[in-house]
Amino acid sequence: MKRLTDVLFDALLPLLAASLALLVGAVFLMVMRVNPLTAYAALVEGAFGTPNAVAETLVKATPLLLVGLGICIAFQANVINIGGEGQMIVGAILGTLVGLTFTDWPGWVVIPLAMLTGFVGGALWGGIPGVLKAYFNVNEILSTVMMNAIAVQIMNYLLRGPMIDPVQKAMASEIPQTAALEMAFRLPRWVPTRLHLGTLLAVVLAVVVHVFLWHTVWGYRIRAVGKNPDASRYAGIPVKRYTVLALLLSGAFAGLAGVVQVYGVNYRMITDGSASGFTGNAGFNGIVAALFGGLHPLGTVPASVLFGALLVGANKMQRAVQVPSALVIALNGLVVVFVVSSEYWRRRRQRRRMALQREAEAPRPVQETAAASSASGGQD
Amino acid sequence: MNSVPSAPLATASTRPRIQHVEMRGIVKRFPGVLANDHVDFDVQAGEIHALLGENGAGKTTLMKILYGMYQPDEGEIRINGRPVRIASPRDAIALGIGMVHQHFMLVETLTVAENVALGLPSSRGLLTDLDVVARRLRELGERYGLVVDPHAYIWQLSVGQQQRVEILKALYRGADVLILDEPTAVLTPQEVEELFAVMRQMAREGHGLVFISHKLHEVLAISDRITVLRDGRKIGTRPARETTKEELARWMVGREVRFHLEKEPARPGPVLLELEDVHAESDRGTPALQGVSLQVRAGEILGLAGVSGNGQRELAQVVAGLRPVTRGRVRLLDQDVTEASPAARMDLGLAYIPEERMKDGLIQEFTVAENLILRDHHKPPFSRKGFLHWPTVYAHSRRLIQAFRIKTPSVKTPARYLSGGNLQKIVLARELAREPKVILAAQPTRGLDIGATEYVRERLLEQRTRGAAVLLISEDLDEILVLSDRIAVIYEGRIMAVMPREEATVERLGLLMAGVEEKEKG
């Protein structure tokens, strides 16, 4: 069906857009009297230069991918989940509690149990806005953002109070963090790097989400509800339930991202009092990664790696050429703007392609369309 | 800037008032449709001229030409005897012609005054002159009996009040001639009375009004002259005092039946669908169905005739399970399904061809194959244990594409790339392939060309012969007469009469559709 050139066009377009963004970024760098080539070389070097750099990139990409998978599900149901941060936090809290409670249980029981608990916790945090949206028509963008604020305050209370590390309490230094997890509960690593099993899990889940959305009844219904709720209702699909399910699953993947961050990277829950102190903004950057990946679970895999690379490489660039970190954030922003705008061109090209195809293969219906549209639109 | 305080006075003072608007020999073609066929029409200052006709008769098209929204293919427009060219609504407004559309063109989140001022130059240059606008609106409101608070937000207003704002907007812009496109369709009876009072006042003030409608009693109640259109042609013009409901009804619907289909005599079986004293409300909460009782038997087509907006849409939704009833029962195959979900009714063997197939019947972004399993995607063989089995789905889709002659590049083509006729075939294929026991077909051929129309009708007849009970809701009287074994007429949410096809004539149906009760009952 699709010609090779079209496939290439679709695949290369985001990369082209990203390159254009870096070109604009180069202007910024030159204004700051920095050689953009040196800067970008440092960026690439920092992200992919050594095995350890690649590992760090993947470590950064993992929570983005997990959150992004949830975002893909939500977008298919035409709901927007801005609550990834809060869902990560709630998932992490519950997952950490499991690890800190059942200290003498074996790791192969505790780790899956913690992940499941975090999954459910995130689902709860995403499901509440889902119910509010489906049954009370509350805008999910607002409610998910508000749920973030609630989650942060719960986290701060717990990490400074009931869940605080006994060591911190004893030293009276009061850093908001929990005790460390048992050695047996830590996800296996590819030593000497920090690359952990969670990354592999996320990639496997990307395939699972793909299968879920396009090969199961639930996935079909989520997509149907997102595309046309009227027709879905008419076809007998309980629309509200699937709106809730989409936000619930979306939150669940973010919750899982929180658990993976604890069990794979930090081995304890730690914050600086803000959401990003724990999440590193993965709850928001995951949305961007999903958009970059075309809101497709498999596309989100490379997109997350690219954003992971930008985050890791930017650190190196910052050190190498002495630019403020704000510039790095601006650079990320540029990439997002360019990539999201490029979607417009892809759509336009696709439309033209389909129109050509239809004329070539089915010339007669075109006339019918004209008659039908004028008959319904042109008369009273 | 001149010294005149507001725009409407400026325009009104710089050109003479419209005494007479004349449209001569107007022809408008759309691909495949002749919407206006050499139509003459005129309206004078101080008169209410009704434009009467069925849906699709060309009334709105003709008036959209006068308002500059369409360009006529032939014919001319004269104002006060001078030929004019009206290239856009802006031209029309400048000439003194205003139009109130069926669907209001108001910004909900702005106030009345802001809506009126929208798009007009301010008397203060870059600063707004909303206080001036509001004052002028109050003056106009008092003069015509159109009282609306200029500072109220549109979303706070009832539909009737919003319509007043539209009329005020046109008056503010200096309209001498005002076109009202089915203004009563959205109003309650009390609001209709109020509107008529306003219209009479406007006529007294020297405005010319064009009143588009398909309701006979309203037209006779308010108009000075009545012009009837049918199939794009003008049938005649009569002063309201010199005509009767009967004559107008005959003019509206009296025509040859255009389609003939081979039809075996019906062999009606048991009642499969039954409505008993059904009441339901419209979206706005007004009564839409007021005690509808109908029975449809296996092996027959019951045609439900009526002018649009008399409860057909609500009736279809009640049968499909998409709208709750406030009173009464719905029975499907001897089971009470009044409270049953759409899915449960589907499983009992109900098929539904919805009126708005683009909105309710299909998911435009889904592929042809995905649309063909919309109803049954959760059942074997299309899915097992929650997983879809695409090879089976595609094989099934290819079969249906062939059987129903759907023209599509492939099963994986998104539906939105297909033509209207082919989209309807997708709906038809999906619904009929399930071998339904009861078929609810709402406007099944609306917007289709002749070929597709005939195809759809043949399929419906086939289903009847197979033994399905078919409830056909249509505003197309030809369709009702060609297909039905029995005919029911709905008017304002009530069934006026049910008759065998043989006893139905266009005149009789036309009168019933216009709300004229039959004298002898039974």
Side-chain angles (χ1 to χ4, degrees), chain A residues 1 211-225 227-237 347 350-352 354-355 357-358 361-380, chain B residues 30-31 33 35 54-61 64 70 322 342-343 346 352 354 358-363 365-366 370 373-375 377-378 383 386-388 390 407 409-410 413-414 417-422 427 430-431 447 449:
Chain A
M1 282 291 313
V211 171
F212 172 77
L213 282 174
W214 278 279
H215 294 273
T216 69
V217 170
W218 283 14
Y220 176 94
R221 290 181 162 194
I222 283 179
R223 291 188 294 123
V225 165
K227 297 280 182 334
N228 185 343
D230 292 321
S232 302
R233 199 170 301 120
Y234 146 82
I237 299 171
R347 290 239 177 91
Q350 192 187 2
R351 257 203 305 275
R352 207 174 302 149
M354 291 307 304
Q357 206 167 43
R358 195 172 75 182
E361 296 184 33
R364 272 193 55 201
V366 180
Q367 282 179 323
E368 283 178 30
T369 320
S373 62
S374 67
S376 56
Q379 295 187 291
D380 34 353
Chain B
F30 292 111
V33 185
E54 283 191 291
N55 307 98
K59 311 183 293 281
T60 299
T61 303
K64 280 184 173 173
Y70 294 143
L322 298 166
M346 237 161 62
Y352 177 25
M358 306 293 186
K359 184 168 153 283
D360 297 332
L362 292 157
I363 297 179
E365 290 85 356
F366 267 23
E370 283 174 325
I373 60 164
L374 194 56
R375 288 272 209 171
H377 61 273
H378 56 297
S383 66
F387 282 88
L388 293 163
W390 286 114
K407 290 200 191 73
S410 88
T413 304
Y417 295 114
L418 270 58
S419 68
N422 281 292
V427 176
R430 181 179 69 216
E431 299 300 318
D449 65 13

Side-chain angles (χ1 to χ4, degrees), chain B residues 7 27-28 46 120 144 160 190 289 382 407 511 521:
Chain B
V27 176
K28 180 68 186 171
L120 290 179
Y144 295 99
Q190 292 87 335
L289 297 178
F382 305 131
K407 290 200 191 73
L511 280 172
K521 281 252 166 95

Side-chain angles (χ1 to χ4, degrees), chain B residues 31-51:
Chain B
V33 185
L34 189 53
N36 285 151
D37 185 2
H38 295 92
V39 177
D40 298 329
F41 183 78
D42 75 303
V43 58
Q44 287 167 359
E47 78 159 346
I48 300 174
H49 192 158
L51 200 48

Side-chain angles (χ1 to χ4, degrees), chain A:
Chain A
M1 282 291 313
K2 272 192 188 176
R3 285 194 316 251
L4 185 65
T5 49
D6 296 327
V7 175
L8 276 177
F9 179 84
D10 288 352
L12 290 179
L13 191 66
L15 287 179
L16 187 75
S19 311
L20 280 173
L22 292 182
L23 214 63
V24 176
V27 176
F28 289 177
L29 286 164
M30 284 194 286
V31 168
M32 308 195 76
R33 298 179 189 290
V34 168
N35 182 346
L37 288 178
T38 326
Y40 287 147
L43 191 145
V44 175
E45 166 79 19
F48 300 109
T50 61
N52 193 52
V54 174
E56 277 304 305
T57 293
L58 294 178
V59 167
K60 272 271 190 262
T62 302
L64 302 187
L65 175 53
L66 284 170
V67 171
L69 292 178
I71 300 299
C72 291
I73 298 174
F75 261 96
Q76 287 296 340
N78 201 23
V79 285
I80 296 167
N81 176 15
I82 313 286
E85 296 273 295
Q87 292 144 12
M88 267 184 87
I89 289 170
V90 172
I93 290 172
L94 293 178
T96 308
L97 269 176
V98 169
L100 295 178
T101 309
F102 306 106
T103 48
D104 45 356
W105 289 18
W108 60 268
V109 176
V110 170
I111 295 174
L113 185 67
M115 286 186 172
L116 189 71
T117 318
F119 197 76
V120 171
L124 181 78
W125 222 244
I128 293 171
V131 170
L132 291 176
K133 160 93 179 172
Y135 296 94
F136 303 100
N137 204 19
V138 176
N139 183 308
E140 78 279 12
I141 299 177
L142 289 178
S143 59
T144 49
V145 167
M146 294 305 148
M147 294 292 280
N148 284 345
I150 298 170
V152 171
Q153 297 314 319
I154 293 176
M155 170 177 73
N156 285 339
Y157 165 70
L158 289 174
L159 295 199
R160 290 199 170 110
M163 280 176 77
I164 194 169
D165 186 358
V167 180
Q168 292 292 330
K169 206 165 187 182
M171 296 195 320
S173 56
E174 306 268 318
I175 293 174
Q177 65 177 34
T178 67
L181 295 173
E182 299 291 318
M183 291 300 285
F185 298 167
R186 301 178 179 184
L187 286 176
R189 269 184 180 176
W190 184 45
V191 262
T193 70
R194 299 203 297 164
L195 184 60
H196 55 84
L197 204 59
T199 309
L200 185 65
L201 176 73
V203 174
V204 170
L205 285 177
V207 178
V208 171
V209 171
H210 171 77
V211 171
F212 172 77
L213 282 174
W214 278 279
H215 294 273
T216 69
V217 170
W218 283 14
Y220 176 94
R221 290 181 162 194
I222 283 179
R223 291 188 294 123
V225 165
K227 297 280 182 334
N228 185 343
D230 292 321
S232 302
R233 199 170 301 120
Y234 146 82
I237 299 171
V239 172
K240 291 177 179 181
R241 249 182 272 167
Y242 282 88
T243 305
V244 177
L245 178 70
L247 266 170
L248 199 115
L249 285 175
S250 188
F253 277 92
L256 185 62
V259 178
V260 167
Q261 202 62 3
V262 172
Y263 281 71
V265 183
N266 302 327
Y267 303 142
R268 55 159 46 110
M269 204 170 164
I270 182 166
T271 179
D272 59 3
S274 70
S276 58
F278 166 67
T279 62
N281 277 327
F284 291 127
N285 287 335
I287 302 174
V288 178
L291 283 171
F292 197 100
L295 295 170
H296 192 287
L298 298 181
T300 307
V301 177
S304 301
V305 173
L306 196 97
F307 270 91
L310 269 176
L311 293 173
V312 174
N315 281 337
K316 170 90 178 184
M317 179 176 89
Q318 201 180 333
R319 270 176 277 128
V321 296
Q322 304 294 322
V323 289
S325 60
L327 183 83
V328 173
I329 298 170
L331 208 58
N332 272 340
L334 276 175
V335 173
V336 173
V337 170
F338 270 82
V339 169
V340 174
S341 318
S342 73
E343 179 68 3
Y344 166 78
W345 296 100
R346 200 183 61 76
R347 290 239 177 91
R348 216 174 76 153
R349 202 183 142 93
Q350 192 187 2
R351 257 203 305 275
R352 207 174 302 149
R353 201 155 69 206
M354 291 307 304
L356 283 176
Q357 206 167 43
R358 195 172 75 182
E359 266 171 47
E361 296 184 33
R364 272 193 55 201
V366 180
Q367 282 179 323
E368 283 178 30
T369 320
S373 62
S374 67
S376 56
Q379 295 187 291
D380 34 353

